[in-house]
Amino acid sequence: MWNEGPGADFQAHGHYLNMSSPKYTHVFCGLAPSPDGKLWVVHNFY
């Protein structure tokens, strides 16, 4: 996600913008294995 690099377009750089924003001080992560062995990951910036 850091590879998205800086940029103003949220569609192209959204993860980078969220992770580097001083507006957010916490990140919450959820992980869940699916029956086919894949791992689903979600994160929420707060």
Side-chain angles (χ1 to χ4, degrees), residues 6-43:
D9 177 23
F10 192 82
Q11 262 321 72
H13 306 283
H15 287 107
Y16 179 87
L17 293 172
N18 283 336
M19 291 189 305
S20 62
S21 173
K23 175 178 160 181
Y24 302 110
T25 58
H26 296 79
V27 62
F28 299 91
C29 300
L31 305 160
S34 63
D36 63 0
K38 293 181 181 176
L39 183 63
W40 287 85
V41 180
V42 64
H43 53 271

